[in-house]
């Protein structure tokens, strides 16, 4: 028999001495394949029985399927947060528990609705992992206040909120308005780079970038906030770009302007960005999200600057331009992580390509073991309404399932009507995916069994199953050798007749695992399914002590037929 250290050779009985440590660890929540670590049928409560063990449990299972960020420091932060919480948490138990079982992280943009210390504490308690400062808005003084408030909340204990400074970048924005302007289809509208903005005529607003007038041409489509309103350029006259409204809407202050299919001819890091980065370095923020990265050299420039200054913060590239999409592998390789900035991205590339690019960024970054934030419009309707659309919920679930390390809230938490509710929805939806994954924890074991069986050229993969689930999971991994499913009753055996690759048989499950295995081998021999010296891969999850989840042990063994 080839036994696996740390995996209990248990079928129906107590763990043997060799596996006692693993079983003990599973009770304490870490390490072993006990169901306490990744519960097979667990609801939230059984996954995390107490606050103390919740912290340890979370540390044990926090690593996503593809290693993401430990090398860049994120994982260390997670562990530190968990350890800190295990020692002393000033948060309510249920707040810790609610954030404790979610594996993907949540970035919240801090804005006028959420900048005071108690709002930040409430966001932290509701599951915020990273606070985002958008340098397109607010003064350094305002952002310094937010940073101080985040630090106050961190210092209270129990949470570990990271600080992300998002540069304005070479984005083009409309100017400040005294009041929103309603624009209807067909309305003539002027965008100006005039210096003197006093007494602008109606249906006119300024634009933040002087060369705007050089970059746009007659026939271009001007998108406001990625297409919430759009305008056709009809002429360019000195400092004024004259347009006609195609899709109407309400224009508010400092809106995004994109010319469909074109990037502004500004450098990726503008003078304002350098000032903001200096501010961030003084303040010691943890992450920089670099807007409108076009080339890996943009990232290298910032990283070299930080190296010179002895700053260890991480640089995340915001993928939001057609240029960046064209150089994804190089840009991601140069960065510490990425943000899928779907707002501007959807204005620069066809909107139907955005999900494909998102998928590719998450996939590449998982291969590179670097984190990805999926951002923008995740719960957009909750800026105004107390419940999300079903499509928004699906969007979050899809991002989490893809393996995004984090999902982000923008206007929802910055200036929406329901910041905490929006975060609550994102938390619950992302957590639901984690719980579902946790419920399928044996999938990993099934895959491992399947891989082993193939590599070892096993004669059969034997799975002991009481209700058929384990056989179904093993079957879904499509091993190359036959799957022999052994169960205690004939009705279940029949139900398994539909499962790919499975031959099901009934045997008596003994309290002694060795007896059960020996019965299984007899059956295989009798049926001509295996002969003496053949290799078998055996997996099971049997209850020990006849107890609940806490007494279940998953095992994976390689044995030779006697
Ligand atoms: N620091 C801030 N000061 C004032 N308003 C802010 C701030 N941060 C965000 N907001 C508001 O919240 C909205 C949504 O935030 P975000 O998505 O980060 O901005 P944008 O889409 O404008 O880049 C912004 O458009 C702005 O109205
Ligand atoms: C996240 C984005 O960037 P910002 O909010 O800074 O425009 C985006 O465009 O999706």
């Amino acid at each position: 028999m080839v036994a696996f250290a740390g995996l209990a050779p248990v079928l129906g009985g107590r763990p043997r001495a060799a596996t006692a440590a693993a079983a003990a660890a599973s009770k304490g929540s870490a390490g072993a394949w006990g169901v306490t670590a990744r519960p097979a049928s667990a609801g939230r409560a059984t996954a995390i029985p107490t606050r103390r063990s919740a912290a340890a449990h979370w540390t044990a299972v926090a690593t996503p399927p593809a290693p993401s960020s430990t090398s860049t420091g994120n994982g260390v932060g997670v562990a530190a947060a968990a350890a800190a919480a295990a020692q002393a948490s000033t948060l309510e138990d249920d707040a810790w528990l609610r954030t404790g079982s979610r594996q993907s992280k949540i970035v919240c943009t801090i804005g006028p609705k959420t900048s005071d210390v108690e709002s930040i504490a409430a966001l932290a308690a509701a599951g915020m992992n990273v606070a985002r400062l958008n340098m397109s808005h607010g003064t350094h003084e305002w952002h310094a206040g937010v940073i101080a408030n985040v630090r106050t909340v961190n210092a209270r204990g129990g949470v570990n909120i990271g600080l992300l400074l998002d540069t304005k970048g070479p984005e083009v924005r409309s100017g400040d308005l005294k009041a929103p302007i309603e624009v209807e289809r067909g309305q003539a509208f002027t965008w100006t780079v005039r210096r003197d903005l006093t007494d602008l005529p109606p249906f006119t607003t300024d634009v933040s970038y002087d060369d705007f007038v050089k970059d746009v041409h007659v026939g271009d489509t001007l998108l406001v906030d990625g297409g919430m309103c759009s305008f056709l350029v009809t002429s360019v006259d000195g400092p004024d770009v004259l347009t006609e409204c195609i899709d109407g809407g309400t224009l508010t202050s400092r809106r995004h302007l994109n010319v469909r299919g074109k990037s502004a001819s500004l450098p990726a890091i503008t003078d304002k960005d350098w000032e903001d980065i200096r501010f961030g370095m003084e303040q010691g923020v943890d992450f920089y999200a670099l807007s409108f990265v076009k080339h890996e050299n943009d990232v290298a420039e910032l990283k070299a600057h930080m190296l010179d200054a002895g700053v260890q913060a991480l640089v995340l590239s915001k993928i939001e331009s057609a240029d960046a999409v064209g150089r994804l592998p190089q840009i991601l390789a140069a960065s510490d992580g990425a943000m899928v900035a779907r707002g501007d991205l959807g204005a620069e590339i066809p909107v139907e390509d955005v999900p494909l690019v998102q998928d590719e960024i998450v996939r590449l970054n998982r291969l590179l073991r670097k984190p990805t934030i999926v951002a923008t419009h995740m719960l957009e309707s909750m800026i105004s309404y107390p419940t999300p659309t079903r499509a928004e919920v699906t969007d979050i679930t899809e991002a989490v399932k893809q393996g995004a390390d984090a999902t982000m809230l923008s206007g929802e938490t910055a200036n929406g009507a329901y910041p905490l509710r929006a975060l609550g929805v994102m938390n619950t939806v992302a957590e639901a995916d984690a719980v579902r994954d946790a419920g399928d924890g044996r999938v990993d074991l099934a895959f491992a069994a399947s891989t082993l069986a193939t590599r070892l050229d096993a004669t059969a993969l034997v799975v002991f199953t009481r209700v058929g689930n384990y056989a179904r999971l093993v079957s879904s991994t499509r091993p190359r050798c036959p799957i022999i499913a052994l169960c205690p009753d004939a009705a279940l055996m029949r139900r398994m007749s539909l499962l790919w690759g499975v031959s099901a048989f009934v045997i008596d499950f003994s309290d002694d695992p060795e007896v059960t295995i020996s019965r299984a081998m007899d059956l295989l021999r009798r049926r001509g399914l295996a002969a003496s010296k053949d290799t078998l891969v055996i997996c099971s999850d049997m209850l020990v002590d006849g107890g609940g989840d806490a007494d279940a042990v998953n095992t994976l063994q390689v044995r030779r037929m006697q």
Side-chain angles (χ1 to χ4, degrees):
M1 162 184 156
V2 186
F4 280 84
L7 290 172
V10 174
L11 284 170
R14 284 198 145 280
R16 298 282 161 104
T19 59
S26 83
K27 293 203 188 237
S29 81
W33 267 104
V35 225
T36 40
R38 300 194 75 177
S41 57
R44 288 156 213 198
T46 49
I48 304 171
T50 65
R51 184 175 68 188
R52 228 162 227 295
S53 64
H57 167 91
W58 195 47
T59 311
V61 298
T63 313
S68 60
S69 55
T70 311
S71 61
T72 58
N74 257 8
V76 174
V78 167
Q87 281 164 17
S89 171
T90 56
L91 293 178
E92 291 302 311
D93 283 9
D94 71 329
W96 174 253
L97 294 179
R98 265 187 285 125
T99 57
S101 63
R102 169 169 45 78
Q103 290 166 303
S104 62
K105 305 302 175 63
I106 298 180
V107 181
C108 294
T109 304
I110 305 299
K113 288 279 173 66
T114 43
S115 58
D116 63 286
V117 71
E118 289 317 322
S119 297
I120 289 170
L123 288 174
M128 169 172 70
N129 301 107
V130 173
R132 168 179 176 250
L133 306 168
N134 185 350
M135 303 312 280
S136 297
H137 308 280
T139 59
H140 282 182
E141 195 187 353
W142 187 91
H143 287 294
V146 172
I147 292 169
N149 290 343
V150 169
R151 298 235 154 97
T152 301
V153 171
N154 275 344
R156 289 178 186 173
V159 292
N160 181 33
I161 309 298
L163 279 162
L164 181 152
L165 182 151
D166 194 327
T167 63
K168 181 175 180 340
E171 62 177 12
V172 182
R173 288 205 183 230
S174 59
D176 275 311
L177 295 177
K178 289 196 187 81
I181 305 176
E182 296 291 338
V183 196
E184 288 181 3
R185 185 180 173 84
Q187 173 68 51
F189 201 99
T190 302
W191 309 85
T192 185
V193 297
R194 284 179 228 173
R195 295 265 173 257
D196 182 4
L197 300 176
T198 47
D199 298 327
L200 284 179
F203 297 107
T204 305
T205 189
D206 60 310
V207 173
S208 63
Y209 159 57
D210 285 350
D211 280 347
F212 179 66
V213 286
K214 293 190 193 146
D215 285 359
V216 297
H217 297 96
V218 173
D220 281 346
T221 304
L222 187 61
L223 302 176
V224 177
D225 273 350
M228 296 304 175
C229 321
S230 57
F231 298 82
L232 178 71
V233 177
T234 50
S235 67
V236 180
D237 182 8
D240 295 339
V241 175
L242 306 171
T243 63
E244 183 183 312
C245 179
I246 306 167
D247 286 320
T250 308
L251 183 72
T252 56
S253 291
R254 300 188 305 279
R255 293 304 84 208
H256 290 257
L257 299 181
N258 296 86
V259 180
R260 165 129 357 250
K262 287 185 180 174
S263 298
S265 54
L266 279 166
I269 311 179
T270 65
D271 291 347
K272 170 176 165 46
D273 293 336
W274 283 119
E275 277 171 33
D276 293 340
I277 289 164
R278 254 193 304 282
F279 164 78
M281 288 178 176
E282 280 161 23
Q283 294 284 330
V285 302
D286 307 297
F287 309 95
Y288 293 86
L290 196 54
S291 293
F292 286 99
V293 169
K294 291 181 183 174
H295 195 280
E296 56 277 18
N297 291 349
D298 303 332
V299 186
E301 190 182 0
L302 177 55
K303 284 181 74 83
H305 182 77
M306 287 179 15
L307 195 65
D308 286 348
V311 169
Q312 288 186 324
L314 304 175
V315 178
L316 314 179
S317 287
K318 284 173 72 180
I319 308 299
E320 51 187 337
S321 66
D323 294 336
V325 172
R327 300 191 67 77
L328 261 189
Q330 296 91 330
I331 291 172
L332 297 183
S335 314
D336 297 314
M339 181 194 294
V340 191
R342 303 183 301 183
D344 283 297
L345 185 59
E348 287 228 359
I349 66 171
V351 76
E352 63 274 20
D353 288 347
V354 172
L356 308 179
V357 172
Q358 172 179 324
D359 199 49
E360 184 66 357
I361 294 170
V362 174
R363 192 185 67 80
L364 285 174
N365 258 355
R366 288 183 70 182
L367 288 174
L368 292 165
R369 300 170 201 284
K370 295 176 180 181
T372 306
I373 302 170
V374 172
T376 309
H377 298 157
M378 299 215 84
L379 287 171
E380 185 77 2
S381 72
M382 290 194 77
I383 290 178
S384 313
Y385 298 100
T387 55
T389 67
R390 308 311 179 247
E392 287 167 342
V393 168
T394 305
D395 183 40
I396 297 169
T397 300
E398 284 305 312
V400 173
K401 268 172 31 185
Q402 267 171 356
D405 293 72
T407 49
M408 190 170 108
L409 294 168
S410 305
E412 298 92 333
T413 46
N415 68 348
Y418 303 98
L420 273 177
R421 279 216 209 189
L423 176 55
V425 168
M426 185 168 270
N427 185 51
T428 311
V429 173
E431 185 184 49
D433 191 70
V435 169
R436 199 203 51 215
D437 272 358
D440 283 353
R442 289 172 308 168
V443 168
D444 297 330
L445 199 62
F447 268 106
S450 188
T451 306
L452 261 182
T454 302
R455 288 269 171 96
L456 299 178
D457 201 15
T459 305
L461 201 167
V462 179
V463 53
F464 292 88
T465 185
R466 277 184 193 275
V467 288
N469 283 340
Y470 213 168
R472 184 174 52 80
L473 294 179
V474 169
S475 162
S476 74
T477 67
R478 303 293 194 257
R480 294 216 188 123
C481 65
I483 302 164
I484 310 298
L486 301 173
C487 66
D489 74 273
L492 172 58
M493 180 182 72
R494 284 193 300 277
R495 288 199 295 276
M496 289 194 284
S497 59
L498 200 59
L499 294 179
W500 185 100
V502 169
S503 303
F505 301 94
V506 173
I507 61 163
D508 275 341
F509 284 8
S510 161
D511 283 346
D512 181 340
E514 284 307 316
V515 171
T516 312
I517 286 181
S518 162
R519 284 178 190 160
M521 287 190 179
D522 282 349
L523 183 142
L524 291 174
R525 195 176 298 107
R526 267 199 330 272
R527 299 261 174 183
L529 296 167
S532 182
K533 304 261 186 297
D534 280 357
T535 302
L536 303 177
V537 170
I538 301 177
C539 47
S540 72
D541 65 338
M542 290 293 176
L543 295 183
V544 292
D545 267 353
D549 279 346
D551 292 318
V553 176
N554 287 299
T555 74
L556 176 54
Q557 306 173 36
V558 180
R559 293 218 179 185
R560 282 211 196 289
M561 283 279 289
Q562 292 132 6

